Amino acid sequence: MERVGRWLGRSQELYNLLQFKMGGGAAVMPPLDQDALSDGLKTCYWYLNQTSRSFAAVIQALDGELRHAVCILYLVLRALDTVEDDMTISLETKVPMLHDFHSYLYQPDWRYMESKEKYKQVLEDFPTISLEFRNLAKVYQDVTADICHKMGAGMAEFLQKKVDSLQEWDKYCHYVVGLVGIGLSRLFSVLELEDPIIGQDTELANSMGVFIEKTIIIRDYLEDQLAGREFWPREVWSRYAKKLSDLAKPENIDVAVQCMNELIINALHHIPDVLTYLSRLKTQSVFNFCAIPQVMAIATLVACYNNKQVFRGVVKIRKGQAVTLMMDATNIQAVKSIMYQYVEEIYWKIPSKDPSSNKTQQIIVSIQTICLPNGTVVSRNHYSPIYLSCAVLLAALSWQYLSAMSEDVQANEN
């Protein structure tokens, strides 16, 4: 437990700085008091840092007990996702595990020791996670178990079939991430951190997760191919190649990029829902938690758009760019400005011969109209000296953390 304690102490400054508000000074989050945490909860925060990367900071910037509940929710779903991703587990074993996984939350001794996946520790030490789950208030337990149950069933369904249509692509993304958005939204409303509409409007909450998942699926084409996984919808890629794997062949690079561009345009259609959802939030820590992954996603899509490197290797976003996004996305007008400027970048990248060029222009105009109806872009680059100093300090403190995070929020280095 010693290394866990040291890590919690080092991370506190970073998470406090992430709460900094332009013009409002430093809004310091409730501290991670190590003495007040059980050994099991300390271990869970250690696993969170090791497995979540891009979301560890925003989760720990949440307030009080909600922070612990979301940490446990993330680890439970990370364990479930680890089962799904492990290609060494036979379908005969995996499918029942996915269906039954929610029941393991109430079995103190259940663990799985045969995984070969990178994050196998969350399965091997699942008793620690499930114990902290059972220590949560009932409202948190109910939401977590419900999401886990539905997600496991959805994952099992798509293990036994391919993603053929765009409708099935939406359904798969709903199961693996959209349900998380719905469940978290229920928590925000039940705890009265947000208005009831946040938990009731499941369509918007679903889009928050689906936008992120589609971005990850698009970005991770090559990684998934090498692992034997396929998540791009046949309805789209079959117009460009006989097999999805053919898109990785050098001679097919032009049509591969066109196929990817078409999927990116599909993902962009979720942005209006994302902006409507974010515009309804009133609690600052909840807004930050929800907004940061969305601006990371649009930055990733922009870097992937028309980029051949997606089919050749790993692509990453600049660490400074990630820090800037995390610092900027603290209110709805700033997020709209970020979205406006990033889709503008796509607009200027549209190839004249791209089959989706007209649709691309249409959705970009639609998004920009929603972001800035009067057509005036609000600059995000004029900050006070103290704000700039804070940003520089944040960059220094978080350099090592963001090195790991950038692997999970991959986009173009250039």
Side-chain angles (χ1 to χ4, degrees):
M1 297 305 300
E2 181 182 355
R3 64 177 183 171
V4 178
R6 288 201 305 268
W7 174 78
L8 288 173
R10 285 199 308 270
S11 300
Q12 188 61 49
E13 289 180 277
L14 169 61
Y15 303 134
N16 285 345
L17 284 170
L18 284 175
Q19 289 288 76
F20 187 86
K21 306 296 184 292
M22 183 176 177
V28 180
M29 76 181 211
L32 281 171
D33 184 354
Q34 297 179 49
D35 294 333
L37 298 180
S38 66
D39 285 348
L41 203 49
K42 290 177 183 177
T43 300
C44 286
Y45 277 109
W46 168 254
Y47 289 151
L48 174 66
N49 183 61
Q50 294 300 302
T51 61
S52 71
R53 298 180 301 212
S54 59
F55 294 111
V58 286
I59 287 175
Q60 291 180 92
L62 290 170
D63 298 324
E65 62 177 340
L66 179 61
R67 180 196 310 153
H68 300 329
V70 176
C71 171
I72 300 305
L73 170 64
Y74 181 90
L75 292 177
V76 168
L77 300 183
R78 168 60 75 180
L80 177 66
D81 188 62
T82 301
V83 172
E84 184 205 25
D85 285 346
D86 195 330
M87 304 302 288
T88 68
I89 304 176
S90 68
L91 285 180
E92 291 76 13
T93 299
K94 184 182 293 188
V95 170
M97 282 181 68
L98 293 174
H99 279 293
D100 296 340
F101 204 88
H102 67 287
S103 68
Y104 303 152
L105 293 168
Y106 303 98
Q107 300 177 30
D109 297 326
W110 186 89
R111 68 178 76 225
Y112 187 73
M113 302 298 295
E114 299 177 31
S115 176
K116 303 298 189 295
E117 279 292 296
K118 180 178 181 180
Y119 301 124
K120 62 182 181 179
Q121 69 264 37
V122 293
L123 290 172
E124 294 175 348
D125 194 20
F126 198 74
T128 296
I129 297 170
S130 67
L131 174 61
E132 293 306 322
F133 161 83
R134 294 188 298 277
N135 287 337
L136 295 173
K138 188 175 185 301
V139 63
Y140 298 123
Q141 291 188 40
D142 290 346
V143 171
T144 300
D146 182 53
I147 294 173
C148 185
H149 189 186
K150 293 175 180 176
M151 187 179 295
M155 288 176 169
E157 176 184 338
F158 280 94
L159 274 178
Q160 301 172 84
K161 69 177 183 181
K162 299 290 186 180
V163 178
D164 285 329
S165 66
L166 283 168
Q167 185 176 10
E168 287 181 334
W169 199 36
D170 286 339
K171 187 177 182 182
Y172 174 79
C173 293
H174 162 74
Y175 280 138
V176 297
V177 180
L179 283 170
V180 179
I182 292 171
L184 288 170
S185 298
R186 285 167 54 191
L187 289 181
F188 300 153
S189 293
V190 166
L191 295 174
E192 299 183 349
L193 293 171
E194 302 296 342
D195 293 332
I197 188 63
I198 294 298
Q200 295 167 357
D201 196 335
T202 57
E203 184 176 347
L204 294 189
N206 182 66
S207 282
M208 292 286 287
V210 170
F211 180 57
I212 294 171
E213 180 62 15
K214 286 185 176 181
T215 299
I216 294 170
I217 288 173
I218 292 167
R219 179 201 67 191
D220 288 351
Y221 165 83
L222 188 60
E223 178 183 329
D224 286 335
Q225 280 293 302
L226 294 175
R229 299 186 293 259
E230 294 189 355
F231 301 113
W232 283 25
R234 178 186 292 272
E235 179 181 332
V236 175
W237 65 254
S238 63
R239 296 200 297 270
Y240 298 90
K242 291 182 178 180
K243 296 185 298 182
L244 182 56
S245 58
D246 289 344
L247 295 178
K249 296 179 179 179
E251 62 268 26
N252 295 329
I253 190 63
D254 290 336
V255 293
V257 168
Q258 291 175 356
C259 178
M260 176 181 63
N261 288 350
E262 183 173 343
L263 292 180
I264 289 174
I265 299 317
N266 177 279
L268 290 179
H269 279 84
H270 295 283
I271 290 181
D273 280 355
V274 166
L275 293 174
T276 300
Y277 182 97
L278 292 175
S279 70
R280 293 174 174 175
L281 299 178
K282 62 183 183 181
T283 301
Q284 187 65 58
S285 62
V286 172
F287 185 93
N288 294 351
F289 174 79
C290 295
I292 289 173
Q294 304 300 326
V295 295
M296 293 290 189
I298 186 60
T300 300
L301 287 180
V302 170
C304 288
Y305 185 80
N306 215 47
N307 185 357
K308 298 177 181 179
Q309 185 62 21
V310 172
F311 301 92
R312 294 171 175 167
V314 178
V315 241
K316 300 178 181 179
I317 110 177
R318 296 186 303 273
K319 298 176 182 68
Q321 181 183 7
V323 171
T324 299
L325 288 170
M326 295 171 79
M327 294 295 292
D328 283 0
T330 57
N331 62 77
I332 187 59
Q333 290 306 319
V335 171
K336 285 183 176 181
S337 181
I338 291 169
M339 292 289 188
Y340 186 104
Q341 293 179 28
Y342 272 119
V343 296
E344 181 81 357
E345 288 188 37
I346 291 181
Y347 185 88
W348 293 111
K349 289 182 179 181
I350 300 174
S352 58
K353 296 182 179 179
D354 190 286
S356 303
S357 59
N358 289 336
K359 291 182 179 179
T360 308
Q361 293 172 6
Q362 290 171 8
I363 185 59
I364 287 175
V365 170
S366 175
I367 292 170
Q368 290 185 321
T369 300
I370 294 171
C371 290
L372 300 164
N374 61 5
T376 303
V377 179
V378 179
S379 174
R380 298 183 290 117
N381 299 318
H382 300 292
Y383 304 128
S384 66
I386 187 171
Y387 188 80
L388 288 173
S389 298
C390 181
V392 171
L393 179 58
L394 172 61
L397 288 172
S398 61
W399 184 266
Q400 183 175 5
Y401 168 78
L402 287 170
S403 295
M405 186 195 72
S406 64
E407 296 174 9
D408 196 43
V409 190
Q410 297 171 353
N412 191 9
E413 182 71 30
N414 298 315

